[in-house]
């Protein structure tokens, strides 16, 4: 049985006219044929050339004919299942379904000083534990919650992170790649009866390097779903105009779709719209800007037309702390992503850009998700919900509905009851310590860390995960990516801190 997630029960927001949609589509086809896409992977070029693409091997450039593009889009499944090690947490992706996911951070953050710091293994494992406990988190994203943790050589960060997620969660998995690490990631997922969504990451504009294409093909060989991610900054690595950025994004994403559908027809694909406007005063991405929602709403409409599931990956704010700016930027973008038809949204735990993540923020985001999810359910209109006989029974004042069975039955489901918000009356608030949402979130986080128990791996699964990690350690040491001194320290860390938080 798949995890329910949220279901949008009314038509999605449409920001583009039919004429505008067609112009973007035709513009995308023109870029794919006239400009083409740079793909630094010899095998991919040969595969695409056999399929009818025009290939320049000297320039690694591929130009895609319209008929091949449209055929590849038709081959993409519009709905599909992603298997998890806990079968009850598998996802049914596509259509009107929405799943919420965490947003990663390179570091954790001190909640008193707001200074970032490198996470420990305990920070990482505790962060996964909180995400597994939150009902509105439906899977675990790449580099989540952190890009790694102390005591691990860079070449092993993604693999130790993947192991930490597998050990502490039964939810959907996706992870990054580096130096062929996806091959070990795939094997770890297979060892626990799960699938991992293997990423294929664009280097904008219009470029895929060998590691990105290699990861996608390895994932397709395993029969796993592929996440293709577009990471442009409009005004920097994409046109500053939103329409131009949309054409660029669609061309960027279609190129690997064509490759995958030629290589293995029917490969499950979903797309990550991870784009931002450039802040022209600093040169940094404009996290939290409303232009992100404009792009995402149009992007979702375009890809609904193509029938390919979509993820909106930019609900994280520009604020550096948990404050008013953070609240309005993340809530506004999350709501607009959901209304325009996102199938995934990255939200939980991201404090500042991709720099910091904290489980306290994830707990606060659980309420944003719950509120947005309740709105998507819409309004039921039937005899019981219209309550005409009840209205007649109660009549005018002094009648009231407070003690009626209908009220007791329906008030909780018609509202959404937040778990970390201040909902007291003013006198109650004054007399109970003047708690803020941060205070309530801390209490909930402490309770989860003390009492929540993720479903553990079996002894044989744990043994296989450790065997795969050991094989990867030996491989990267032989490749010279881990020095002898680094390996000594690494092994000391493993021996003295043998996953006590799993």
């Amino acid at each position: 049985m798949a995890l329910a997630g949220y279901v949008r029960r009314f038509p999605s927001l449409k920001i583009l006219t039919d004429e505008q949609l067609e112009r973007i589509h035709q513009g995308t086809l023109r870029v794919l044929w006239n400009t083409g896409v740079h793909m630094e992977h010899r095998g991919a070029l040969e595969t695409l050339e056999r399929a009818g693409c025009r290939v320049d091997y000297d320039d690694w450039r591929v130009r895609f004919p319209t008929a091949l593009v449209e055929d590849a889009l038709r081959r993409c499944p519009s709905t599909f299942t992603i298997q998890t090690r806990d079968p009850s947490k598998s996802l049914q992706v596509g259509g009107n379904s929405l799943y919420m996911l965490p947003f990663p951070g390179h570091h954790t953050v001190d909640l008193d000083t707001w200074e970032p710091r490198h996470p420990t293994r305990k920070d990482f494992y505790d962060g996964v534990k909180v995400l597994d406990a939150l009902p509105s988190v439906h899977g675990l994203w790449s580099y989540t919650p952190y890009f790694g943790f102390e005591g691990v050589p860079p070449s092993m960060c993604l693999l130790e992170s993947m192991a930490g997620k597998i050990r502490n969660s039964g939810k959907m998995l996706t992870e990054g790649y580096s130096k062929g690490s996806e091959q070990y990631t795939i094997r770890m997922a297979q060892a626990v009866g799960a699938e991992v969504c293997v990423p294929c990451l664009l280097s904008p504009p219009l470029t895929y390097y060998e590691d990105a294409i290699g990861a996608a093909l390895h994932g397709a060989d395993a029969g796993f779903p592929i996440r293709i991610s577009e990471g442009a900054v409009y005004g920097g690595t994409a046109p500053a105009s939103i329409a131009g950025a949309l054409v660029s994004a669609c061309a960027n994403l279609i190129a690997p779709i064509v490759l995958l559908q030629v290589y293995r027809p029917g490969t499950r694909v979903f797309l990550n719209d991870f784009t931002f406007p450039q802040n022209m005063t600093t040169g940094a991405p404009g996290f939290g800007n409303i232009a992100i929602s404009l792009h995402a709403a149009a992007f979702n409409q375009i890809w609904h037309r193509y029938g390919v599931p979509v993820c909106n990956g930019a609900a994280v704010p520009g604020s550096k702390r948990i404050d008013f700016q953070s609240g309005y930027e993340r809530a506004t973008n999350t709501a607009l992503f959901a209304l325009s038809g996102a199938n995934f949204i990255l939200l939980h735990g991201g404090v500042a850009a991709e720099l910091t993540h904290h489980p306290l923020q994830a707990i606060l985001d659980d309420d944003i998700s719950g509120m947005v999810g309740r709105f998507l359910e819409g309004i039921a209109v039937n005899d019981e919900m219209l309550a005409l006989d009840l209205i007649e029974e109660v009549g005018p004042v002094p009648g009231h509905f407070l003690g009626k069975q209908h009220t007791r039955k329906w008030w909780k489901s018609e509202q959404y009851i937040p778990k970390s918000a201040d909902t007291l009356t003013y006198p109650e608030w004054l007399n109970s310590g003047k708690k803020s949402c941060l205070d309530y979130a801390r209490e909930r986080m402490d309770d989860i860390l003390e009492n929540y128990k993720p479903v553990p791996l079996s002894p044989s699964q744990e043994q296989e995960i450790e065997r795969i990690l050991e094989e990867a350690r030996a491989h990267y040491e032989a490749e010279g990516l881990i020095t002898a001194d680094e390996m000594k320290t690494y092994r000391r860390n493993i021996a003295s801190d043998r996953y006590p938080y799993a």
Side-chain angles (χ1 to χ4, degrees):
M1 183 177 68
L3 199 62
Y6 303 115
V7 178
R8 180 175 40 78
R9 302 192 185 279
F10 46 82
S12 59
L13 170 68
K14 289 182 170 55
I15 195 171
L16 299 172
T17 66
D18 290 344
E19 179 185 0
Q20 290 172 324
L21 268 177
E22 185 60 24
R23 291 193 67 180
I24 290 170
H25 174 65
Q26 293 300 326
T28 300
L29 295 175
R30 175 178 165 180
V31 169
L32 285 167
W33 180 245
N34 288 356
T35 308
V37 175
H38 185 92
M39 283 188 169
E40 291 192 7
H41 191 288
R42 178 82 185 191
L45 297 188
E46 292 171 351
T47 298
L48 290 167
E49 185 176 42
R50 289 193 297 270
C53 292
R54 195 169 71 198
V55 174
D56 181 344
Y57 287 92
D58 292 332
D59 194 33
W60 302 95
R61 187 79 65 96
V62 186
R63 291 173 172 83
F64 298 83
T66 293
L68 183 63
V69 168
E70 294 182 336
D71 181 63
L73 291 172
R74 283 191 294 269
R75 289 174 182 267
C76 292
S78 58
T79 61
F80 54 83
T81 300
I82 300 175
Q83 301 291 339
T84 56
R85 77 171 176 93
D86 178 349
S88 69
K89 293 181 171 62
S90 294
L91 304 187
Q92 185 64 39
V93 179
N96 293 331
S97 67
L98 169 63
Y99 293 109
M100 305 296 292
L101 304 170
F103 196 96
H106 190 68
H107 296 292
T108 186
V109 62
D110 186 293
L111 296 180
D112 294 320
T113 66
W114 302 104
E115 293 285 336
R117 66 169 175 80
H118 200 51
T120 63
R121 186 192 303 274
K122 185 176 189 305
D123 291 326
F124 190 97
Y125 278 43
D126 283 353
V128 176
K129 187 176 180 181
V130 168
L131 295 171
D132 193 63
L134 294 177
S136 68
V137 175
H138 303 118
L140 300 176
W141 198 246
S142 302
Y143 315 104
T144 303
Y146 308 109
F147 285 37
F149 46 84
E150 288 179 350
V152 178
S155 59
M156 286 297 298
C157 279
L158 292 179
L159 297 176
E160 290 284 4
S161 297
M162 179 70 172
K165 287 187 279 196
I166 287 176
R167 288 169 168 140
N168 291 278
S169 177
K171 293 180 177 179
M172 182 200 84
L173 299 167
T174 178
E175 192 48 275
Y177 54 80
S178 176
K179 305 293 184 183
S181 65
E182 74 278 353
Q183 298 176 72
Y184 299 103
T185 296
I186 288 167
R187 288 169 53 194
M188 280 195 273
Q190 291 169 330
V192 298
E195 295 182 313
V196 59
C197 300
V198 180
C200 177
L201 307 181
L202 169 77
S203 299
L206 297 169
T207 299
Y208 286 90
Y209 292 115
E210 184 173 15
D211 57 348
I213 300 300
L217 296 179
H218 286 141
D221 285 337
F224 283 0
I226 309 300
R227 168 177 64 86
I228 307 173
S229 188
E230 213 274 336
V233 178
Y234 21 112
T237 53
S241 60
I242 293 174
L246 286 164
V247 169
S248 179
C250 291
N252 288 331
L253 296 167
I254 285 174
I257 285 177
V258 175
L259 171 63
L260 288 165
Q261 297 309 324
V262 168
Y263 181 74
R264 188 178 288 271
T267 293
R268 291 167 291 166
V269 170
F270 70 94
L271 308 176
N272 182 23
D273 179 37
F274 191 69
T275 60
F276 305 87
Q278 183 161 310
N279 181 333
M280 293 299 175
T281 63
T282 65
F287 290 95
N289 193 288
I290 196 62
I292 296 168
S293 285
L294 286 166
H295 188 283
F299 181 92
N300 294 349
Q301 187 179 348
I302 292 164
W303 286 95
H304 280 191
R305 173 183 174 177
Y306 295 150
V308 180
V310 293
C311 171
N312 296 141
V316 71
S319 176
K320 310 307 178 289
R321 61 178 72 200
I322 303 172
D323 60 8
F324 178 74
Q325 178 186 339
S326 174
Y328 77 72
E329 287 181 345
R330 66 202 309 124
T332 299
N333 282 322
T334 299
L336 290 170
F337 296 168
L339 292 174
S340 58
N343 299 114
F344 295 102
I345 296 175
L346 303 187
L347 171 67
H348 290 73
V351 178
E354 282 187 285
L355 300 177
T356 54
H357 173 106
H358 200 282
L360 189 74
Q361 179 67 70
I363 287 171
L364 293 168
D365 291 329
D366 186 51
D367 281 340
I368 294 178
S369 295
M371 294 175 73
V372 169
R374 173 62 192 93
F375 191 91
L376 292 183
E377 291 175 3
I379 301 170
V381 179
N382 54 42
D383 288 347
E384 185 171 12
M385 305 307 273
L386 287 169
L388 300 181
D389 292 340
L390 180 62
I391 293 169
E392 183 175 348
E393 175 191 334
V394 170
V397 172
H400 62 81
F401 297 87
L402 185 60
K404 299 300 182 181
Q405 191 273 339
H406 184 278
T407 301
R408 293 194 296 272
K409 180 178 179 180
W410 290 110
W411 77 272
K412 284 187 178 180
S413 60
E414 288 292 275
Q415 301 179 32
Y416 170 75
I417 311 302
K419 300 177 181 65
S420 299
D422 167 30
T423 58
L424 301 176
T425 64
Y426 211 101
E428 289 172 326
W429 179 74
L430 290 171
N431 293 328
S432 61
K434 303 177 184 177
K435 290 181 180 179
S436 71
C437 61
L438 291 175
D439 296 317
Y440 290 115
R442 281 191 178 94
E443 291 174 1
R444 191 177 178 200
M445 182 176 73
D446 291 344
D447 179 66
I448 289 171
L449 293 177
E450 182 176 353
N451 298 307
Y452 180 75
K453 304 296 182 187
V455 177
L457 296 176
S458 69
S460 62
Q461 288 174 328
E462 174 59 49
Q463 185 179 25
E464 181 62 11
I465 293 298
E466 186 56 33
R467 190 188 69 77
I468 295 168
L469 286 172
E470 185 56 35
E471 185 179 329
R473 292 168 190 140
H475 169 75
Y476 289 121
E477 184 179 24
E479 290 289 309
L481 295 172
I482 304 175
T483 67
D485 287 342
E486 285 176 329
M487 184 58 79
K488 283 182 183 178
T489 303
Y490 183 24
R491 291 197 181 284
R492 254 197 322 271
N493 292 336
I494 294 168
S496 63
D497 191 18
R498 189 73 177 183
Y499 313 115
Y501 309 108

